[in-house]
Amino acid sequence: MTDNVRISPPQPIPYPKNRIIKKFYRTPILLYRLGLEKLYGKYILILSTFGRKSGKIHRTPVEYFRDGGRIFIMSGFGDTPDWYQNLQKDPHVTLNTGGTVQHMRSRKPGIQSEWEGVFNFLKTSPVSILSSPGLVNQLDDPQFQEEIKHWPVLTFDSTQEPCPKPLEPDLTWAWPLILLISARAVLRCWLRHRKR
């Protein structure tokens, strides 16, 4: 690795600039509100931050991984995402992970064992393997590892300090309505098919 080459985190998809795609990326928030966090809670958490300008609570689904009981997140889009910028201004955050709520304080990994967790994740992550196979082959290079320490990677420590309110599964009441509408649609299709 040369000194002039900067490496960046694996980015399998471009940063969403289109409003519709941004809404699509927020689908896990709706699923959580419907009580379906078990569908994705093993891989995606809901991050609640204070807005750096407004101070309002912002929620974002983010892929995460665990190592030694510690949670890590990494921005594949550099320091561009609002959630990352919000945490740079105010590190207090609430994490919703598969039905669990944790009030935390974000920080960069500090000790080598924490960074080893990041390197191990990159070695086994399907995103790394498919989008940046060259990266996986260089993860044991100490110079390469030092470069990775400049990436937007965060981990968390528990805190008793004030944090954003957690996301609540407040739309579970909608399930009877969803099931009724679905049953009606299936019945209409079946009746239409019988008439043929």
Side-chain angles (χ1 to χ4, degrees), residues 65-72 113-118 120-121 155:
F65 62 97
R66 291 181 188 267
D67 185 75
R70 180 167 286 287
I71 294 174
F72 295 87
S113 63
E114 291 172 348
W115 282 109
E116 289 298 327
V118 174
N120 290 336
F121 168 72
T155 188

Side-chain angles (χ1 to χ4, degrees), residues 59-77:
R59 302 193 200 303
T60 309
V62 179
E63 181 184 13
Y64 75 100
F65 62 97
R66 291 181 188 267
D67 185 75
R70 180 167 286 287
I71 294 174
F72 295 87
I73 59 175
M74 179 184 314
S75 171
F77 304 120

Side-chain angles (χ1 to χ4, degrees), residues 48-165:
S48 298
T49 62
F50 291 117
R52 64 192 177 283
K53 296 176 185 172
S54 67
K56 294 180 181 176
I57 296 173
H58 293 272
R59 302 193 200 303
T60 309
V62 179
E63 181 184 13
Y64 75 100
F65 62 97
R66 291 181 188 267
D67 185 75
R70 180 167 286 287
I71 294 174
F72 295 87
I73 59 175
M74 179 184 314
S75 171
F77 304 120
D79 59 4
T80 305
D82 287 330
W83 64 262
Y84 187 78
Q85 294 178 31
N86 289 346
L87 289 175
Q88 296 309 297
K89 172 115 183 191
D90 184 344
H92 297 92
V93 61
T94 300
L95 308 178
N96 290 85
T97 54
T100 304
V101 173
Q102 298 170 289
H103 299 290
M104 309 292 264
R105 187 175 175 88
S106 66
R107 64 173 175 82
K108 292 276 287 181
I111 57 176
Q112 188 60 28
S113 63
E114 291 172 348
W115 282 109
E116 289 298 327
V118 174
F119 304 146
N120 290 336
F121 168 72
L122 290 169
K123 287 177 185 176
T124 60
S125 166
V127 172
S128 299
I129 293 167
L130 295 173
S131 68
S132 304
L135 172 122
V136 175
N137 297 332
Q138 296 181 1
L139 283 170
D140 292 324
D141 178 352
Q143 190 176 358
F144 198 78
Q145 291 178 357
E146 284 305 311
E147 184 67 25
I148 290 172
K149 291 179 182 179
H150 297 287
W151 288 5
V153 178
L154 297 173
T155 188
F156 306 92
D157 297 312
S158 292
T159 184
Q160 299 298 319
E161 298 169 8
C163 292
K165 288 183 182 177

Side-chain angles (χ1 to χ4, degrees), residues 21-31 58-61:
I21 294 173
K22 281 185 179 183
K23 291 281 187 198
F24 176 73
Y25 283 0
R26 297 178 61 77
T27 301
I29 294 173
L30 175 62
L31 294 175
H58 293 272
R59 302 193 200 303
T60 309

Side-chain angles (χ1 to χ4, degrees), residues 177-192:
L177 186 60
I178 292 168
L179 293 173
L180 184 63
I181 291 169
S182 299
R184 183 171 180 240
V186 168
L187 182 60
R188 288 178 84 186
C189 288
W190 180 72
L191 289 173
R192 238 185 267 144

